[in-house]
Amino acid sequence: MISEPELIGEFGPEHTAEAVGDFDRKPASGRRRGHGLLWGAAGALVASVVWATAVFAYGDGVTRKPDPRGYRVDGRSCSAMQLKALTASVGKREDAPALAPGRIEHPALDQVRCSIGLASEEGSETYAKGWSLYVQVGLTVDLYKETDPRSEFEAREGPSVLTDGEEKRPELVPNLGDRAYLLVDDGEGNRLSVLDGAAVFTLTISTSMNLAEPEADEEPDEWPDGPAPESFHADMISDMRDVMEKLKTA
C-alpha cells in the first residue's frame, strides 16, 4: 500500500512534466498573467460567436408586430372576389360574393370569410346534354396584428401536411406573396394558400356536376366527369393576385 508521502512525491515538481505531457507545460512565471488573459479573450470570442449564431437561427427574443403590408380586412373585403379568370373558365357567376357568418374583429386578428358560386353557361356543349358544372369558391383572409404567422403558416400549409393519410404534398407556388402553396384536397377540390407579411389568404374551390332536369326520385345511370382539378390552378393563382391587390390600402 502506498503511503501519503509517496503519493505527494509521485506528483511533485520533479514528475509533473512527465505525468501530464507537453500539451500542458506551464509557461515561465513572468508570462502566466498574459496567458490567462489570452484564454479569457478567446473564451469571450467563442461566447460571442455562439450568441450571434443563436440570434440568427432563433431570433433575438424581441417580439415584433408583423408587417401588414398595407392590407386591410373588414366587412367589405368580399367585394375583392372578382374572380375574372375562374368565371371565364367556368361560365358565369351564380350570385355576388357573400360574407360568411363568423367574422372576427379583434386586437390580435381580423378575419373574413367569403363565398361565391360559379356555373357553366346554359346550353354549353362542354358537358353531356342536360349536365352543368357548378363551382363553389371560398375565400378566407386572416390579418394578424400581434404575432407573426410565418411558423404557423408553414406548419399548416407546408410540405408536412397530409390529407386523409394520402401522400399528397402541397406544391410551392413561386412569385406569389412571401410563401404560397397549392394543394389538391381530393379528386374535386383545390386549396391555394398565400402568406404575405401579416396576411394569410386561402382560396378554395370545389366542383360538382348537376343535372338540369332530373327524373323524379331517379338517379342517373352515369355521372359525367368534371374538369380535372389541375385545370383551375392557373386561374386560381391569377385571381388570388387580383384579390391581394384589391385588399391593399397603401
Side-chain angles (χ1 to χ4, degrees), residues 48-101:
S48 297
V49 171
V50 171
W51 178 83
T53 302
V55 169
F56 178 80
Y58 303 106
D60 57 8
V62 178
T63 302
R64 296 182 177 86
K65 292 187 177 182
D67 183 359
R69 302 275 173 89
Y71 292 113
R72 181 179 177 181
V73 176
D74 56 31
R76 298 169 293 177
S77 296
C78 292
S79 62
M81 288 185 74
Q82 298 299 308
L83 306 181
K84 294 178 180 179
L86 281 169
T87 302
S89 293
V90 176
K92 64 178 182 179
R93 289 168 136 198
E94 285 280 272
D95 43 38
L99 182 66

Side-chain angles (χ1 to χ4, degrees), residues 10-233:
E10 188 71 73
F11 293 95
E14 67 273 19
H15 295 95
T16 301
E18 291 78 11
V20 179
D22 292 338
F23 290 106
D24 199 35
R25 283 188 184 276
K26 297 292 189 293
S29 59
R31 296 183 181 178
R32 289 183 179 178
R33 179 177 178 83
H35 184 74
L37 291 174
L38 179 62
W39 276 103
L45 178 61
V46 171
S48 297
V49 171
V50 171
W51 178 83
T53 302
V55 169
F56 178 80
Y58 303 106
D60 57 8
V62 178
T63 302
R64 296 182 177 86
K65 292 187 177 182
D67 183 359
R69 302 275 173 89
Y71 292 113
R72 181 179 177 181
V73 176
D74 56 31
R76 298 169 293 177
S77 296
C78 292
S79 62
M81 288 185 74
Q82 298 299 308
L83 306 181
K84 294 178 180 179
L86 281 169
T87 302
S89 293
V90 176
K92 64 178 182 179
R93 289 168 136 198
E94 285 280 272
D95 43 38
L99 182 66
R103 177 184 160 210
I104 298 173
E105 187 174 347
H106 186 271
L109 173 71
D110 287 340
Q111 183 195 76
V112 293
R113 294 184 294 122
C114 317
S115 64
I116 189 175
L118 308 176
S120 57
E121 295 281 2
E122 296 177 6
S124 171
E125 297 180 359
T126 305
Y127 308 103
K129 185 178 181 180
W131 290 92
S132 63
L133 172 67
Y134 180 79
V135 178
Q136 182 69 37
V137 185
L139 173 69
T140 301
V141 184
D142 296 292
L143 185 62
Y144 292 77
K145 296 185 284 186
E146 294 294 336
T147 58
D148 195 314
R150 286 178 295 178
S151 298
E152 180 181 339
F153 177 83
E154 191 67 23
R156 291 180 180 274
E157 308 295 340
S160 61
V161 174
L162 289 176
T163 58
D164 298 329
E166 299 178 8
E167 295 185 358
K168 293 178 180 177
R169 292 291 192 276
E171 297 180 13
L172 185 64
V173 180
N175 305 316
L176 183 59
D178 293 334
R179 199 78 166 169
Y181 291 103
L182 204 157
L183 175 68
V184 177
D185 283 331
D186 50 39
E188 299 177 342
N190 297 273
R191 182 173 79 243
L192 174 61
S193 302
V194 181
L195 168 72
D196 194 27
V200 175
F201 303 84
T202 306
L203 186 66
T204 61
I205 68 170
S206 59
T207 63
S208 61
M209 297 301 298
N210 297 330
L211 186 58
E213 296 179 359
E215 298 292 336
D217 300 326
E218 184 176 336
E219 287 289 331
D221 295 333
E222 294 183 5
W223 289 75
D225 293 330
E230 292 78 9
S231 64
F232 295 112
H233 288 180

